[in-house]
Amino acid sequence: MSIAENVGYYLDKIKSGNSFGESVTLVAATKTRTAQEINEAIAAGITDIGENKVQEFREKYDLVHGGRRHFIGHLQTNKVKYLIGKTCLIHSLDRDELAEELAVRSQRAGVVTNVLIEVNIGCELSKSGYSLNEAYAAYERVRGMQGLKVCGFMAMLPLSDDSVLLARLADEMRALYDRARAHDGDIRHLSMGMSGDWELCLAHGANMIRLGTAIFGSRESLSKGSDLRRDS
Ligand SMILES: *Cc1c(COP(=O)(O)O)cnc(C)c1O
């Protein structure tokens, strides 16, 4: 299927909203994709795109036409300056030091940066983010910082076939989100769900999903293809 066909397919899948009756935002995860591929997705109806490396974000910034720009990857403090004023939402606020740098730079530039608190919901060493136990206090600290607006939470579920476990983790994220949302009108995004688990996430209360391979195809297809050719 072409990029345009995939975009049409997934936009159609999410148009009825999540299981909580909320509308769902599809963010195309564009790492390793060319500006041309991203523009194809935008022409087909993608409204939001997310990069996960600052270098790629910068390289493609002017080559991509349209699309609200999200940042979804791990962000080094010394690269914050390249994103200030250029993102609609940073999903990966995973530590206080990063919050402080984002706040200082945003204030200096006279802008407010929208952020999500990233939660390491599966307690995985390979992933960053606050633990579920720390997340609410982190939200309250960041919420008090000038120059930042907390709009919700982000999580990546672990890779697992155990759908009972995944459902429980997703429910825990939704409970965290609801706790903050109960008294804070700025809270409106629960960013959770990738190509392998987006359906489960929508069924358990995510209202923003980030799809890469589902839209653009496998990132490994080229190297796998050449391996096959070598073998034969
Ligand atoms: C790459 C990426 C995605 C999308 O992953 P796919 O499995 O390709 O859909 C989502 N979120 C983040 C943070 C990513 O880096």
Side-chain angles (χ1 to χ4, degrees):
M1 292 234 282
S2 69
I3 291 172
E5 283 169 329
N6 290 336
V7 169
Y9 176 84
Y10 285 101
L11 285 178
D12 189 60
K13 283 276 183 191
I14 64 163
K15 79 168 182 249
S16 52
N18 68 6
S19 60
F20 288 60
E22 298 162 337
S23 62
V24 172
T25 304
L26 169 57
V27 179
T30 53
K31 56 174 171 271
T32 76
R33 308 303 173 173
T34 64
Q36 189 188 331
E37 290 174 299
I38 301 167
N39 285 328
E40 245 176 274
I42 291 171
I46 286 292
T47 54
D48 293 75
I49 61 173
E51 282 292 347
N52 84 331
K53 291 221 165 66
V54 172
Q55 192 183 337
E56 281 190 67
F57 182 96
R58 296 178 71 198
E59 281 169 3
K60 296 177 216 170
Y61 191 81
D62 290 324
L63 303 174
V64 170
H65 306 302
R68 285 187 289 265
R69 310 298 170 91
H70 298 240
F71 191 80
I72 62 177
H74 183 69
L75 180 53
Q76 285 172 253
T77 312
N78 63 359
K79 294 193 174 155
V80 161
K81 54 179 178 276
Y82 300 119
L83 298 184
I84 296 299
K86 297 193 158 183
T87 59
C88 77
L89 187 62
I90 294 178
H91 295 223
S92 42
L93 202 165
D94 58 4
R95 59 197 192 282
D96 286 13
E97 183 204 15
L98 176 61
E100 278 149 23
E101 178 70 6
L102 279 165
V104 166
R105 295 268 178 187
S106 298
Q107 284 175 66
R108 225 181 269 165
V111 300
V112 172
T113 300
N114 294 329
V115 298
L116 303 180
I117 304 291
E118 181 174 352
V119 181
N120 186 354
I121 189 65
C123 306
E124 295 173 278
L125 290 175
S126 60
K127 290 194 179 131
S128 50
Y130 294 95
S131 71
L132 184 63
N133 286 335
E134 306 169 313
Y136 195 83
Y139 150 70
E140 289 185 310
R141 282 195 301 279
V142 177
R143 188 174 174 236
M145 293 184 186
Q146 246 182 48
L148 299 183
K149 179 155 101 181
V150 183
C151 302
F153 298 87
M154 184 272 243
M156 275 184 264
L157 296 183
L159 264 185
S160 165
D161 293 331
D162 184 348
S163 57
V164 175
L165 168 74
L166 295 178
R168 181 171 62 76
L169 297 178
D171 287 341
E172 286 173 349
M173 284 303 301
R174 180 70 198 201
L176 172 68
Y177 172 81
D178 282 338
R179 184 179 169 199
R181 194 177 61 126
H183 62 83
D184 182 347
D186 290 334
I187 299 294
R188 58 209 148 85
H189 301 307
L190 178 55
S191 172
M192 181 170 70
M194 318 203 310
S195 295
D197 59 13
W198 63 274
E199 275 179 298
L200 180 139
C201 288
L202 290 187
H204 291 269
N207 52 32
M208 182 172 264
I209 58 174
R210 311 174 307 270
L211 301 185
T213 50
I215 292 175
F216 297 106
S218 165
R219 285 181 290 273
E220 280 98 40
S221 60
L222 282 177
S223 52
K224 265 186 195 150
S226 48
D227 285 344
L228 284 175
R229 275 196 294 280
R230 253 205 311 279
D231 288 342
S232 59

